[in-house]
Amino acid sequence: MTAILKTPAAWPAILLRREGETGGETARDPKRRAAAAGAAGPAFDGLRRSVRELGSRGTIALLAEAGLRGRGGGGFPTADKWRAAANAEAPAKYVVANGYGADPSSLTDRTIVEREPDAVVEGVAIAAWTIGAEEAIIAVRAGSTDAIAALQGAIDAALSRGELGDDALATGRRLVVEVRTVQGAYMLGEETVLLKALDGRRGQPEQRPPHPSTTGYRGMPTVVQNVQTLASAAWILRNGAAAFRATGTAETPGTILVQVAGNEQGGVAEVPFGTPLGDIVKLAGGVGAGRSIKAVLVGGPSGGILPADRLSTPYTFEALRLLGAHVGSGSIMVADDRACVVDLARVLTRFCADEACGKTIPCRIGTARLAEIGERMSAGTSRAGDVQLATDLADDIVGSGLCDHERLATLPLMSGLRYFGPEVAAHVERGECPAGVCRPIHFAASAPTAPQPTMAS
Amino acid sequence: MSFIPGLGLVKGMGLTLLRFFEPKATIRYPEEKPDVAVRFRGRLQLLYDEWGTLKCETCFQCAQACPIECIDMGGMDTKGRFHVHWGPPETYGERREESALRRSGRTVPDRAFEHFEPHDTTAVDGILEDHDYDPKALLEILEATQAAYGFLPVAALKRISEKTGTWYAMIYGTASYYSHLRFEPPAAEIQAAALAGRRPAEATYVAGLGASLHGRTGGDA
Ligand SMILES: Cc1cc2nc3c(=O)[nH]c(=O)nc-3n(C[C@H](O)[C@H](O)[C@H](O)COP(=O)(O)O)c2cc1C
Ligand code: SF4
Ligand code: FES
């Protein structure tokens, strides 16, 4: 299990209960969980409130009042999605909880599923009740045994308490939650791709609109929601909108899990939206003594590389997007003064290009060419005009991309160019790497693997 | 051998002169269009990229789009992961015939697979039965098939296509997307990576990122 970073006691805990409270390790042990649930009174109070007091409209209104937004990276207002699905007329509706966790170096989604499976299942049940779905799916990565066991335990407990099942909450309505595993591609985190994988099809994104909330799983209205979003929804129903609004910022109340990696330690932490990046970096100890922070990589494989002087930026969807980064997978990684921005951008862009699905030209060819430009820069074989070419290409990809993946894949290189111009110029114009990482001159002689040939296309 | 010296030269010049007065075959494209069938769309051809690998991703979207099922892929995909066991021997004419047969409901003789190892399809039949021949459960069926055979043999994919009524191109296109599904028995080192539960691209990325950030890896999965 991942390390949970200690956060200041003043920070609210919405998603992960703090050590000493029930939850955490307790959540994974069925016996201890049953005991804890007994002590804490009936579980799924949020679901009861949603079903018995508020009803569908009331629940959606409460979420809108609380200002809940998606934690999966996009920050889309959750109430709008649920309203669209609730209003849609269809023979069947579905809820899909996205717990895939596409970024291989971020374990935020897995952490909440392992530690707070009850909150996730309760959130799923609330969503299903609200939009009128009888079946819900929680999609997790194949092989995450702990997460699957935790979810299954929570579902079984809810079944035995009568909150799920053929006669859920004694209302005569059927509500079943199923855990499904998917694997085999980074893109499976994207909602339309996830729906296709669950449907047994090739995982390539679909054009939107129609959004999944009207045409989703098996062509039916489907609410696809990140597991953290669903756990937050359950918390809001239990504690009210005003309490939720007390944390975070006005546009984005609440908290989010981030995966922070400093030089010495790293782990998952729950931070309120609007926390300055610098404070988040400090949770993992920064770069340690004797080193200085050169850059922070915010957002995972398609994240932006922000310079140290932007550490005062609040962690919100809008502020990060303005700077050319994004919330993405919740990953925040610190690079110290020894790192090379071009090398970093090269690694990230290459991964994004390799994982692009191939459906559209910006995705298939655009990202590949972008990755090649990055590789040329770090190999010291840049051609005249490569910087301009990369910028123009990135513009075209952003303008013509089908899904968000290829649009975001431009961020590492573009933010590198934006904030570390002189360092990039040293690579491009003189074939030098100021940090001494790329060593273009030594590259051919000492490289264990042959450098990528860069012939004219 | 001729007796008159220079006769060969005169003959050659004569031919040149003859051609000179023949009607010209130059077509002033695009002012003048060549006379081809209205539905002609050009010859199908797979292109190579600058490293000499086929650009084809083996996504089979083209095969799915072709109404008479005459498109099929052969070769390596861009990532060099596998090749498509669907050899070039059959011509488009034969493919059309196969498609026509399938549509007529008769079984299609499958000459293209004669040179592949025969596979016992009992296992896949059992798997299909377990999944109720449901094309919606394709991914589970494919995973179970791979578990049974160690990889996805073409014969098994064909069997799935036949029994579920799903288009072969659809099945292949789905299987070729997921990195944990393979069409060949795995090599030893690939198996080790598969056992580690992480696909090579992800491992490469995590290792590369760690190296880029000085020997630190991001997650501890
Ligand atoms: C390349 C890519 C990868 C994604 N990966 C994930 C993921 O791992 N988990 C997730 O919840 N959302 C992921 N998303 C976002 C989803 O498409 C979708 O917006 C989200 O699941 C919706 O839930 P939310 O509104 O609660 O955020 C990804 C999007 C893209 C473009
Ligand atoms: S299989 Fe896919 S990538 Fe290959 S030629 Fe057909 S459409 Fe193109
Ligand atoms: S990754 Fe292919 S269309 Fe977005």
Side-chain angles (χ1 to χ4, degrees):
Chain A
M1 194 180 256
T2 357
I4 302 294
L5 296 175
K6 226 176 143 47
T7 50
W11 289 13
I14 290 177
L15 293 167
L16 297 180
R17 279 168 287 186
R18 287 178 189 279
E19 291 303 321
E21 294 172 318
T22 47
E25 292 299 327
T26 320
R28 289 204 294 147
D29 182 347
K31 271 199 213 105
R32 276 156 75 190
R33 194 178 46 232
F44 284 20
D45 282 343
L47 176 67
R48 288 200 169 71
R49 180 156 178 241
S50 166
V51 172
R52 305 226 166 105
E53 286 172 38
L54 298 171
S56 170
R57 275 158 182 274
T59 306
I60 293 171
L62 184 72
L63 292 185
E65 194 190 325
L68 179 62
R69 295 172 67 181
R71 265 64 174 154
F76 192 79
T78 304
D80 291 357
K81 260 193 209 175
W82 292 21
R83 192 176 297 115
N87 290 341
E89 294 284 337
K93 295 178 187 177
Y94 298 96
V95 171
V96 173
N98 185 348
Y100 179 63
D103 178 357
S105 52
S106 169
L107 296 173
T108 52
D109 290 350
R110 191 186 288 191
T111 301
I112 188 155
V113 167
E114 283 176 0
R115 297 182 82 100
E116 305 289 346
D118 294 292
V120 172
V121 173
E122 183 179 5
V124 170
I126 294 169
W129 266 103
T130 308
I131 68 161
E134 292 192 342
E135 284 171 42
I137 296 169
I138 306 180
V140 292
R141 207 179 253 259
S144 54
T145 355
D146 284 350
I148 300 166
L151 283 173
Q152 205 56 58
I155 292 171
D156 292 345
L159 275 172
S160 66
R161 292 193 303 260
E163 285 141 0
L164 300 177
D166 284 336
D167 183 17
L169 285 178
T171 52
R173 244 187 70 182
R174 193 172 87 97
L175 179 50
V176 289
V177 181
E178 188 192 356
V179 182
R180 294 267 300 266
T181 57
V182 287
Q183 62 178 320
Y186 169 76
M187 285 303 294
L188 290 174
E190 207 273 343
E191 52 187 3
T192 56
V193 175
L194 180 65
L195 293 177
K196 282 197 163 178
L198 293 174
D199 218 358
R201 285 188 288 155
R202 186 180 174 87
Q204 288 181 316
E206 282 300 309
Q207 188 151 21
R208 274 159 294 183
H211 289 276
S213 48
T214 49
T215 312
Y217 182 62
R218 309 207 157 161
M220 298 298 161
T222 306
V223 160
V224 184
Q225 215 78 63
N226 177 267
V227 281
Q228 296 179 47
T229 318
L230 290 165
S232 302
W235 193 92
I236 293 168
L237 277 144
R238 271 183 261 124
N239 299 285
F244 193 70
R245 277 220 171 262
T247 39
T249 65
E251 315 92 73
T252 317
T255 60
I256 185 169
L257 296 188
V258 291
Q259 172 93 39
V260 206
N263 261 6
E264 262 113 51
Q265 49 164 328
V268 173
E270 175 174 5
V271 301
F273 277 103
T275 310
L277 271 181
D279 291 1
I280 302 179
V281 167
K282 272 191 212 119
L283 295 176
V287 286
R291 294 267 149 222
S292 59
I293 296 180
K294 176 175 186 174
V296 260
L297 166 62
V298 186
S302 55
I305 305 170
L306 302 181
D309 59 13
R310 303 287 172 147
L311 282 177
S312 56
T313 311
Y315 194 78
T316 62
F317 295 105
E318 285 78 15
L320 289 176
R321 278 312 264 128
L322 268 180
L323 292 188
H326 66 132
V327 169
S329 65
S331 152
I332 297 170
M333 293 180 150
V334 189
D336 66 23
D337 47 348
R338 291 168 298 185
C340 166
V341 167
V342 174
D343 184 53
L344 197 55
R346 171 188 68 88
V347 172
L348 298 170
T349 316
R350 173 44 69 194
F351 179 70
C352 289
D354 282 352
E355 290 294 335
C357 77
K359 180 165 179 169
T360 61
I361 289 170
C363 144
R364 184 174 62 242
I365 299 166
T367 56
R369 293 290 102 97
L370 211 54
E372 284 167 16
I373 295 175
E375 275 157 9
R376 284 208 292 270
M377 284 178 179
S378 99
T381 54
S382 288
R383 303 185 200 141
D386 260 2
V387 170
Q388 188 60 45
L389 184 64
T391 316
D392 291 349
L393 182 57
D395 269 355
D396 290 344
I397 294 176
V398 170
S400 59
L402 168 68
C403 79
D404 280 337
H405 174 65
E406 53 267 33
R407 279 183 221 125
L408 298 170
T410 61
L411 291 183
L413 259 182
M414 287 305 108
S415 57
L417 281 174
R418 181 166 161 191
Y419 299 112
F420 299 90
E423 187 170 352
V424 177
H427 284 78
V428 174
E429 289 159 16
R430 300 190 294 282
E432 281 169 13
C433 176
V437 173
C438 302
R439 274 183 306 218
I441 305 147
H442 300 240
F443 198 80
S446 65
T449 52
Q452 289 275 21
T454 45
M455 274 179 268
S457 40
Chain B
M1 274 291 265
S2 93
F3 296 106
I4 310 160
L7 183 64
L9 186 75
V10 175
K11 270 191 180 165
M13 291 303 284
L15 194 67
T16 312
L17 216 64
L18 265 178
R19 290 276 179 275
F20 190 77
F21 290 110
E22 263 178 14
K24 306 289 174 289
T26 312
I27 295 166
R28 291 170 52 79
Y29 187 83
E31 286 81 34
E32 260 173 64
K33 297 271 187 325
D35 183 24
V36 293
V38 277
R39 312 213 46 184
F40 183 69
R41 292 288 179 277
R43 197 173 124 221
L44 288 171
Q45 175 90 56
L46 284 182
L47 302 179
Y48 290 85
D49 67 11
E50 50 275 42
W51 293 293
T53 32
L54 275 174
K55 278 186 173 178
C56 175
E57 292 264 352
T58 63
C59 68
F60 271 62
Q61 302 293 301
C62 56
Q64 288 175 34
C66 178
I68 52 170
E69 299 177 29
C70 75
I71 301 179
D72 251 310
M73 298 294 105
M76 281 285 203
D77 81 336
T78 50
K79 283 154 197 153
R81 283 185 304 215
F82 42 75
H83 47 251
V84 185
H85 278 312
W86 193 285
E90 74 272 38
T91 62
Y92 290 135
E94 284 167 16
R95 299 285 302 138
R96 266 200 296 281
E97 186 189 339
E98 180 184 325
S99 158
L101 275 172
R102 195 190 342 265
R103 274 150 209 275
S104 75
R106 272 175 289 157
T107 46
V108 186
D110 217 340
R111 267 168 269 116
F113 298 107
E114 276 165 9
H115 58 283
F116 297 119
E117 293 167 57
H119 272 281
D120 182 6
T121 48
T122 343
V124 79
D125 287 344
I127 292 165
L128 286 167
E129 180 70 43
D130 290 346
H131 289 88
D132 205 16
Y133 303 92
D134 183 4
K136 297 274 184 210
L138 187 57
L139 220 44
E140 286 89 338
I141 295 176
L142 290 173
E143 280 163 2
T145 308
Q146 176 159 306
Y149 293 95
F151 67 108
L152 296 174
V154 173
L157 295 183
K158 285 297 270 188
R159 191 74 173 172
I160 297 172
S161 161
E162 213 173 283
K163 290 282 176 179
T164 59
T166 311
W167 204 340
Y168 181 80
M170 212 56 185
I171 296 179
Y172 198 102
T174 301
S176 71
Y177 180 78
Y178 295 93
S179 65
H180 63 297
L181 298 176
R182 53 182 173 261
F183 301 90
E184 307 243 308
E189 66 274 25
I190 297 180
Q191 208 158 26
L195 285 179
R198 204 179 243 169
R199 62 172 306 196
E202 280 189 352
T204 317
Y205 164 71
V206 173
L209 189 60
S212 199
L213 295 170
H214 282 282
R216 210 160 8 80
T217 52
D220 51 3

